[in-house]
Amino acid sequence: MKNDKSILSIAKRTIENEADAIKNLISNLDSQFEAATKCILASKGRVIVSGVGKSAIIATKISATFNSTGTPAIFMHAADAIHGDLGTVLKDDVVICISKSGNTEEIKMLIPLIKRGKNKLIGITGNMDSVLAKQADFVLNTYVEKEACPNNLAPTTSTTAQLVMGDALAISLLELKGFSSSDFAKYHPGGSLGKKLYLRVDDIVGTNLKPQVDINADVKGVIVEISEKMLGVTAVIENDKVIGVVTDGDIRRMLNKYENIAGLKAKDIMTLGPKVIQADILAVKALETMQDMGISQLLVLNGEEYVGVVHIHNLIKEGIL
């Protein structure tokens, strides 16, 4: 049984080996990568990503990354392709085959079938003397000196290199297409990621009560308003416009400052120039503002009209934080 120090040493060595292999990929990039990227960019079809074994798992992830960044893609297992799934490939599709050796039997059988259909073939392989490297229209070199596995057998460093090469392709295409965060939101409508990209303050503020008091409201009325609306704050209004805010903190400071609070009004204890945010701003920006200012709520305006309060608890509930 290895001791704790040995376990950490193994983990660090593994990460260092894979990090070095990724850095070495940079020197492998050449005009073939540029040509392959331009081929996909010019294609009127989809990208079909294929592989066998661990490379098939990497192909699945690369396909998903393409789809989420604006390049339509489908995963096709190489073994299934030669047993009936080749119909997945349409005439305008570009095919990417991933194989460390480039000589996997399924890949060798698949290559002539793809070439027969006149589809462009991009090979991602670590063996530049392989059948895949020689038959592909474009070859992306993912050679690694050794696997992280001490026996140099389990696909580890090689699959990491394949994954990174796929990411390099996807991000190159993303930038060339001018794929924006708003485009990204269309493909990620669910979960916290989607909400960060499309959820706006206006979508949240309506779920809260709307605390507000007149500038001349007495202290009791202010405390009752804050308590009943349960947001720890109330806007102070004059002539239908927000001029200040009273928070739980302002109430505590008032109690420490004054022995007699009977004659005090909202205007006597409010904070001028309250922190506000427009209703059409992304909710994630509201969170960033709260974090930067060290506060837990913001008054929400639609132009100059006061519409309510957004609280950090709302953002937590929505999964923004």
Side-chain angles (χ1 to χ4, degrees):
M1 179 68 180
K2 298 287 187 180
N3 60 35
D4 290 348
K5 185 175 181 180
S6 296
I7 291 171
L8 291 177
S9 297
I10 294 168
K12 290 178 181 179
R13 184 191 69 223
T14 301
I15 294 171
E16 287 172 355
N17 288 344
E18 297 205 359
D20 289 341
I22 291 171
K23 289 180 181 178
N24 290 335
L25 283 182
I26 296 173
S27 61
N28 292 340
L29 292 176
D30 56 19
S31 59
Q32 287 282 294
F33 183 90
E34 290 183 318
T37 304
K38 290 178 181 178
C39 175
I40 296 173
L41 190 64
S43 171
K44 296 179 181 179
R46 307 154 302 171
V47 178
I48 310 298
V49 193
S50 188
V52 178
K54 301 300 187 295
S55 294
I57 297 171
I58 298 301
T60 303
K61 193 276 177 183
I62 291 174
S63 173
T65 301
F66 278 146
N67 280 318
S68 68
T69 53
T71 299
I74 294 176
F75 166 70
M76 178 183 68
H77 197 286
D80 292 335
I82 60 177
H83 290 286
D85 281 4
L86 192 62
T88 300
V89 184
L90 303 179
K91 69 172 185 176
D92 291 324
D93 293 340
V94 175
V95 180
I96 298 177
C97 281
I98 305 174
S99 171
K100 177 187 176 182
S101 71
N103 290 318
T104 307
E105 287 303 317
E106 291 88 347
I107 295 294
K108 289 166 66 175
M109 293 177 65
L110 181 59
I111 290 171
L113 299 176
I114 293 169
K115 303 290 284 186
R116 186 177 65 189
K118 298 183 179 180
N119 296 88
K120 292 295 182 182
L121 174 62
I122 299 170
I124 297 181
T125 181
N127 182 3
M128 298 304 286
D129 292 323
S130 64
V131 172
L132 177 58
K134 292 178 179 179
Q135 293 294 318
D137 296 290
F138 313 101
V139 186
L140 308 185
N141 187 356
T142 53
Y143 171 77
V144 297
E145 185 176 343
K146 60 181 180 180
E147 300 287 2
C149 166
N151 299 315
N152 197 29
L153 294 173
T156 47
T157 308
S158 60
T159 48
T160 300
Q162 293 168 354
L163 184 62
V164 170
M165 188 64 77
D167 285 344
L169 267 176
I171 300 306
S172 296
L173 290 164
L174 178 151
E175 294 198 18
L176 289 170
K177 291 179 178 183
F179 194 79
S180 66
S181 59
S182 59
D183 294 318
F184 199 79
K186 296 176 185 177
Y187 296 94
H188 299 78
S192 60
L193 177 58
K195 288 182 178 180
K196 287 180 180 180
L197 294 167
Y198 76 81
L199 192 69
R200 299 189 182 276
V201 173
D202 191 43
D203 299 320
I204 298 174
V205 68
T207 63
N208 293 331
L209 297 173
K210 182 182 175 183
Q212 65 180 69
V213 295
D214 184 78
I215 188 173
N216 292 309
D218 59 30
V219 166
K220 180 180 178 181
V222 174
I223 295 173
V224 169
E225 184 71 0
I226 293 175
S227 178
E228 288 183 348
K229 301 302 169 62
M230 299 181 294
L231 292 166
V233 66
T234 182
V236 180
I237 307 295
E238 183 179 37
N239 297 325
D240 295 325
K241 291 186 179 180
V242 174
I243 61 166
V245 66
V246 180
T247 66
D248 285 337
D250 292 321
I251 297 297
R252 289 192 295 272
R253 285 185 286 272
M254 174 196 69
L255 294 173
N256 287 329
K257 183 177 180 181
Y258 298 99
E259 291 187 7
N260 183 3
I261 64 171
L264 294 177
K265 306 290 186 183
K267 63 183 178 183
D268 300 318
I269 61 173
M270 71 180 182
T271 299
L272 291 170
K275 303 300 185 293
V276 302
I277 192 166
Q278 290 293 319
D280 61 351
I281 299 296
L282 287 172
V284 69
K285 294 296 182 182
L287 174 61
E288 291 171 2
T289 300
M290 291 181 198
Q291 291 176 326
D292 290 343
M293 295 182 175
I295 57 179
S296 57
Q297 65 274 105
L298 290 166
L299 301 189
V300 181
L301 303 181
N302 184 3
E304 294 186 358
E305 178 188 0
Y306 169 61
V307 295
V309 174
V310 61
H311 196 283
I312 194 166
H313 290 163
N314 299 131
L315 304 176
I316 294 172
K317 184 178 179 181
E318 293 290 344
I320 300 296
L321 183 58

